[in-house]
Amino acid sequence: MNEGLGEERLTAHWAVLGKHPGQTMGYEVLRSSLPDDRASTYLWKASATGAPGGRDPEGELPWRVFLGGTDTHPEPVCASVETTWDGSTDGTGAPSYTWRLTLLEWAEAGRAALTWSGIDRALLSDPPALPGDAVPMTVAVPPTPSAELAETVDQLGFDWAAGVAALLLGNRQVAITPSPGKALPDVSGRVRVLDAVCSLLPYECRAWLSAATWTGPSQHDLRLFFASAARTGQITAVLGGSPPGEPRDETARAYLHGLRRLRAKTGDTSEIVAYLLTAAAEPAPRPGTALRTLREADLMDIVVEEIRSGGGEFGDVRRVLERYPAASLDEHRLGALTLFLVRSAHDGNAVAGSLLGEHWSERTPALLVREVLGAGTPTLSFERAKRYLGVVHDTVEACCPGSFDELFNTLVEAPEPTHEWTGTLIYMADNEWGRSTAGADHLLVHESAVGKTWLACLLKHQDRSLAPLHRLVQRTRDDLAADVTPGWLRFAAVLLGDPLDLATSTDAADFAEDVEGGWRTTLEIARAQRRPEVLGLMWPRLWRVARTERGLREAVEQLVPVGEPQTSGGVAADADLFCAAVRGGATAGMPRLERLTAEEALHDYVLVLIRRIESDGELRRLAVEALLGGELSGNTWWAIEELSRALAGSFLPQLCEELHGRLTGGGRPLNDLEVPEYLMEELAKRYDLGWLRPVHAFRKAVQDRAPYQELARIVLKAHGHGPLPAPLLDTIASWTLKVGADSLERVAWHMDGLAEGWPGLELYAAVARGDRHGELRDRLMHHSEIQKSRHEWILTELQGRQDSSDAAPGTATERPGVLRKMSRHLPGRSR
């Protein structure tokens, strides 16, 4: 449009078709600035509409025909042909008509958006004089205001004009006929009607449209024309009557619906006409192109509606955003376009992501978050949030740095999702893309439920990375005081290398206890970080959950392996005690205690044990069992002695109780020789362990290879308090069976020598009572029989034979044989 810019000065070709005065033959091109063949094409096409006649009152001259391309010259032009009669006649006396052609090349006409009304005013109603020679002329063409055309459309009736325009687009011929009893407008008025109808089509349609202010009965192929009646194959549009029927062509029908929709939406015909006069399109658009051009007039809302219906085309969305900056759009339209781009980018259209980045604004994150929260359920909203963040990270961030952080912060700071939802999203962003923000970290630290959820996600992830935990710990070190740091994060810092005294056992529980398998996972992390020291912080709650959470013993054994040197006595004590306490340990006793060599480590070991068991009777019992259950080396007895001294009122009684059971046959047997002297003193005080002292003394004397006399004194001392204790008799019996009956005989002999009466004989009597020592009794009897035979032989020898000759022959030779037989059963000379 050139409205308000003044007249356009254009170059116009011309030609005249007529007869010279008195000529009788047919018409010819009399003068022209065009080659005759080209000029004839347009002139003869216009003359084919017929000749004026007196019986056609509406067909008053001049007739005006407007042409675009023709069959022989299809290049688009803007041509007009005016038929006039000046009253002259030819040689036959018939009227001699004149057809005057004015032709403008399409490039100039299209640039000026030249209309038929403008041509009518500038060239036809008051035609300029033709040049004296065959050269083009320069003409001044005034613009046609779109408001003027729109006003004519409204006068005709928008539905009527739109219906005619759609029929033209459907390649139909439309004859505008007068309404019964009403006269048609004058010629210039008819031009305005033709122009108004065509103004509801894209301007470039004039390249193939043709129109006439009147046509006679002749056959022609003009598209839009005034006539008294439509001929066969033509459609009638009664001026001032009802709109014609809808076109059969689907595209033309869609165009008509589009016009009606646009008019109903805007209520302003001039806006539609102004757009169609200036819309850029192909010089000779097909109906589909015209439909797309019309679509562009309402592209925004059409595209938004298509998107809301689940459709939409990326190219349309891109044109909308190029035409309407995001800042100019309302929330509804911008939201639809934004979501379409997100969806397209997610489906693999990387250009859509770039376009979203180009039009990213401060409103975009809020629009996307609104869609996330409207998903319906937390699960669906989380999936939507993940999808949107993924699109922004993968395709938008490159051209719009900071867009991910903006969307991410808006999501996690939204008030509606649960804390669990937010914590999971923060972890997902870190785990999926390694993305975090200061705002998200602030929530993790200051919102307990958010932080705990995030931590739970980290602990439960099979392929967990500790980088997020390291980052959060470092950020906390830089920005927060210890007293405002949550307990779980303080323990995380210790787990990753901070001093142990910065966290408590409560902090350790805060870190591990809210996640299924959290204690085991925490132990695994400690092992990976080479931080066995944290076991001490974990111990109190770890012991409480040991019976319900599986795999803790194995995790502790991996954290503090038995086979490695124990560098910390306290850690070794915690590991030994825990593995013993949960039972079923891979190694019996307190194996790490045995590997300690430094005195300081041993003291630390005992101090930790004291702290763990002094107020827990169950743990004390388990500790006693474990200490006595392994190899009772010097470290173990030293630790037992220290514990007995420190916890004399609790540990020592339990220890003695366990020793008592083992010494009396309960549990794992224990040799009393392994028991230190101070414990023997304690044990011997028990009413049922009076035997322990003599048994211990006898065994120790045997071990020390003491003389028989010392063994006799021990037995006599025990005998002085009454009958010999059964355990002592058992000990003596076991020893005798091992070393021989003559050893017992010598002990008994020394007993008889050390005390009055016959205590040695009483020892034999005690052994013989009951069936407890049947095997020993049999051996003693056998030994005594041999002794008896031997003594009888000795007596016989001592008595002598007064008369050796009285001896039976062969006796002297038999004695050595008897002596040899007895010698096989004589006792040895040592024990």
Side-chain angles (χ1 to χ4, degrees):
M1 276 295 296
N2 296 290
E3 188 172 344
L5 299 179
E7 296 178 339
E8 284 281 347
R9 302 193 64 80
L10 305 173
T11 299
H13 287 281
W14 54 270
V16 178
L17 178 68
K19 291 182 180 181
H20 292 288
Q23 184 177 348
T24 58
M25 301 301 290
Y27 292 92
E28 60 181 305
V29 177
L30 302 178
R31 299 174 58 197
S32 176
S33 65
L34 290 167
D36 285 352
D37 61 339
R38 188 179 182 196
S40 298
T41 296
Y42 302 104
L43 289 168
W44 287 113
K45 185 176 181 68
S47 67
T49 59
R55 293 173 295 178
D56 192 4
E58 300 289 352
E60 61 177 305
L61 292 174
W63 289 2
R64 290 169 182 166
V65 178
F66 300 95
L67 301 170
T70 65
D71 293 340
T72 55
H73 292 83
E75 299 85 1
V77 296
C78 185
S80 64
V81 178
E82 183 176 52
T83 305
T84 60
W85 183 48
D86 60 3
S88 61
T89 58
D90 62 9
T92 65
S96 179
Y97 299 106
T98 301
W99 288 267
R100 175 171 169 163
L101 168 67
T102 304
L103 183 147
L104 296 96
E105 299 295 347
W106 183 260
E108 283 196 76
R111 176 176 50 81
L114 189 61
T115 64
W116 295 338
S117 297
I119 294 174
D120 178 67
R121 281 194 292 266
L123 305 177
L124 303 180
S125 299
D126 185 20
L130 298 176
D133 52 8
V135 298
M137 59 183 176
T138 300
V139 295
V141 181
T144 303
S146 59
E148 177 185 307
L149 292 171
E151 182 180 1
T152 302
V153 170
D154 290 339
Q155 291 172 353
L156 293 171
F158 184 87
D159 286 344
W160 186 90
V164 174
L167 288 168
L168 295 175
L169 192 63
N171 202 31
R172 302 305 301 273
Q173 287 182 287
V174 181
I176 302 175
T177 61
S179 180
K182 294 184 179 180
L184 291 173
D186 62 13
V187 174
S188 292
R190 296 179 196 181
V191 171
R192 286 194 295 273
V193 171
L194 299 174
D195 210 10
V197 169
C198 291
S199 71
L200 295 181
L201 293 171
Y203 179 82
E204 285 76 8
C205 289
R206 295 166 188 264
W208 54 264
L209 280 172
S210 56
T213 58
W214 192 256
T215 58
S218 303
Q219 293 288 346
H220 60 81
D221 60 1
L222 298 182
R223 297 294 182 186
L224 179 65
F225 48 88
F226 283 87
S228 58
R231 303 181 68 84
T232 302
Q234 299 173 347
I235 295 178
T236 299
V238 179
L239 189 65
S242 300
E246 291 191 0
R248 291 172 294 181
D249 179 77
E250 182 178 350
T251 302
R253 191 164 58 251
Y255 187 90
L256 175 59
H257 293 167
L259 278 176
R260 291 172 178 170
R261 177 182 178 278
L262 190 58
R263 179 63 170 74
K265 174 187 172 184
T266 64
D268 184 3
T269 305
S270 62
E271 185 177 330
I272 300 173
V273 171
Y275 167 74
L276 292 172
L277 280 174
T278 57
E282 300 174 9
R286 298 180 181 275
T289 306
L291 180 59
R292 287 193 295 273
T293 301
L294 177 65
R295 194 168 179 270
E296 294 289 326
D298 193 27
L299 185 63
M300 167 69 73
D301 287 343
I302 290 175
V303 169
V304 169
E305 183 176 331
E306 290 176 347
I307 291 172
R308 291 296 184 188
S309 300
E313 296 291 336
F314 173 71
D316 292 339
V317 173
R318 177 162 54 187
R319 288 200 306 279
V320 167
L321 289 173
E322 289 171 351
R323 189 179 303 171
Y324 306 100
S328 68
L329 302 178
D330 60 31
E331 299 296 311
H332 172 76
R333 292 180 173 89
L334 181 59
L337 297 172
T338 299
L339 292 175
F340 177 85
L341 292 177
V342 170
R343 184 168 64 245
S344 298
H346 182 262
D347 292 339
N349 186 345
V351 180
S354 300
L355 186 61
L356 179 60
E358 292 173 13
H359 294 275
W360 190 274
S361 72
E362 61 183 10
R363 294 189 294 162
T364 306
L367 291 171
L368 293 176
V369 171
R370 184 178 65 193
E371 290 298 317
V372 167
L373 299 181
T377 67
T379 300
L380 291 176
S381 68
F382 186 87
E383 289 302 317
R384 188 172 289 181
K386 180 179 179 180
R387 182 164 65 251
Y388 290 176
L389 286 171
V391 166
V392 175
H393 179 270
D394 295 340
T395 64
V396 178
E397 182 82 2
C399 60
C400 185
S403 54
F404 181 93
D405 288 357
E406 290 179 18
L407 176 58
F408 184 51
N409 283 334
T410 307
L411 279 168
V412 299
E413 292 170 2
E416 291 186 31
T418 64
H419 288 158
E420 290 74 15
W421 188 96
T422 303
T424 304
L425 187 70
I426 295 174
Y427 178 78
M428 182 277 300
D430 215 332
N431 186 64
E432 292 277 340
W433 307 297
R435 301 299 297 265
S436 63
T437 64
D441 286 351
H442 182 272
L443 285 174
L444 295 180
V445 173
H446 293 279
E447 294 287 345
S448 176
V450 175
K452 285 296 192 68
T453 301
W454 178 88
L455 177 63
C457 291
L458 183 141
L459 295 183
K460 289 189 292 187
H461 203 281
Q462 293 297 319
D463 300 322
R464 78 183 66 86
S465 167
L466 296 182
L469 196 59
H470 278 282
R471 185 202 71 251
L472 194 61
V473 166
Q474 186 57 52
R475 183 163 284 176
T476 305
R477 288 171 181 157
D478 296 340
D479 301 336
L480 293 179
D483 58 344
V484 297
T485 303
W488 66 268
L489 193 52
R490 282 196 298 271
F491 179 75
V494 169
L495 193 61
L496 299 179
D498 276 5
L500 292 175
D501 58 3
L502 296 182
T504 66
S505 59
T506 302
D507 296 337
D510 197 34
F511 183 92
E513 69 183 1
D514 290 337
V515 183
E516 183 179 356
W519 289 101
R520 184 175 63 254
T521 301
T522 306
L523 289 168
E524 293 171 358
I525 294 174
R527 178 170 61 88
Q529 297 298 120
R530 299 183 180 276
R531 291 284 286 171
E533 304 92 315
V534 300
L535 180 60
L537 293 174
M538 299 172 66
W539 215 100
R541 297 287 182 91
L542 195 66
W543 159 237
R544 295 184 190 179
V545 301
R547 294 174 177 83
T548 58
E549 188 163 340
R550 301 177 60 186
L552 293 182
R553 175 182 57 78
E554 293 82 357
V556 170
E557 288 179 341
Q558 292 174 357
L559 175 63
V560 191
V562 173
E564 294 184 4
Q566 304 299 313
T567 57
S568 168
V571 174
D574 277 331
D576 272 348
L577 182 57
F578 184 82
C579 291
V582 298
R583 300 183 182 275
T587 308
M590 298 288 214
R592 295 165 185 81
L593 172 61
E594 303 304 324
R595 298 180 64 83
L596 295 177
T597 56
E599 183 176 348
E600 182 180 358
L602 283 168
H603 281 287
D604 288 343
Y605 188 102
V606 171
L607 288 175
V608 168
L609 281 186
I610 291 172
R611 188 165 66 249
R612 299 291 181 225
I613 69 176
E614 63 180 339
S615 60
D616 190 324
E618 175 67 7
L619 270 181
R620 282 198 304 275
R621 182 185 65 79
L622 293 170
V624 168
E625 289 182 359
L627 286 166
L628 297 178
E631 181 181 350
L632 292 169
S633 67
N635 280 1
T636 301
W637 284 119
W638 180 87
I640 289 173
E641 183 174 357
E642 292 296 311
L643 289 167
S644 298
R645 184 180 296 110
L647 303 174
S650 56
F651 179 82
L652 184 58
Q654 253 179 320
L655 175 66
C656 290
E657 190 66 31
E658 180 68 18
L659 288 171
H660 173 271
R662 297 193 179 197
L663 290 171
T664 57
R668 178 185 174 189
L670 181 70
N671 188 340
D672 60 274
L673 290 176
E674 297 174 337
V675 181
E677 184 65 28
Y678 75 96
L679 285 178
M680 290 301 300
E681 291 291 340
E682 289 293 328
L683 290 168
K685 295 176 183 178
R686 296 189 171 223
Y687 75 94
D688 60 341
L689 290 181
W691 53 266
L692 184 58
R693 175 59 66 189
V695 169
H696 178 74
F698 188 88
R699 287 177 176 169
K700 191 171 189 313
V702 169
Q703 185 183 44
D704 295 341
R705 304 182 69 82
Y708 292 109
Q709 187 177 19
E710 181 61 26
L711 296 179
R713 286 195 182 93
I714 294 171
V715 177
L716 282 172
K717 186 176 180 181
H719 182 57
H721 300 288
L724 289 175
L728 179 59
L729 287 174
D730 293 341
T731 302
I732 294 172
S734 176
W735 170 73
T736 304
L737 288 172
K738 181 178 179 181
V739 300
D742 63 319
S743 296
L744 182 61
E745 180 182 12
R746 294 185 182 189
V747 170
W749 185 82
H750 281 289
M751 289 174 65
D752 289 340
L754 292 172
E756 296 180 357
W758 300 95
L761 294 179
E762 293 180 12
L763 175 61
Y764 277 97
V767 170
R769 293 189 188 98
D771 299 328
R772 187 177 183 88
H773 304 111
E775 181 183 359
L776 178 59
R777 185 173 59 249
D778 292 342
R779 288 195 182 187
L780 291 175
M781 289 177 63
H782 182 65
H783 174 74
S784 296
E785 290 290 341
I786 294 174
Q787 289 290 81
K788 177 181 177 183
S789 297
R790 179 173 180 272
H791 285 295
E792 287 179 350
W793 181 80
I794 291 173
L795 287 173
T796 301
E797 289 296 326
L798 291 176
Q799 289 174 355
R801 285 176 300 172
Q802 295 178 357
D803 188 358
S804 59
S805 61
D806 294 339
T811 300
T813 60
E814 291 177 1
R815 287 172 182 165
V818 173
L819 186 59
R820 284 195 300 271
K821 182 178 179 182
M822 289 192 300
S823 66
R824 290 198 299 268
H825 301 284
L826 290 176
R829 292 296 181 260
S830 68
R831 292 181 290 110

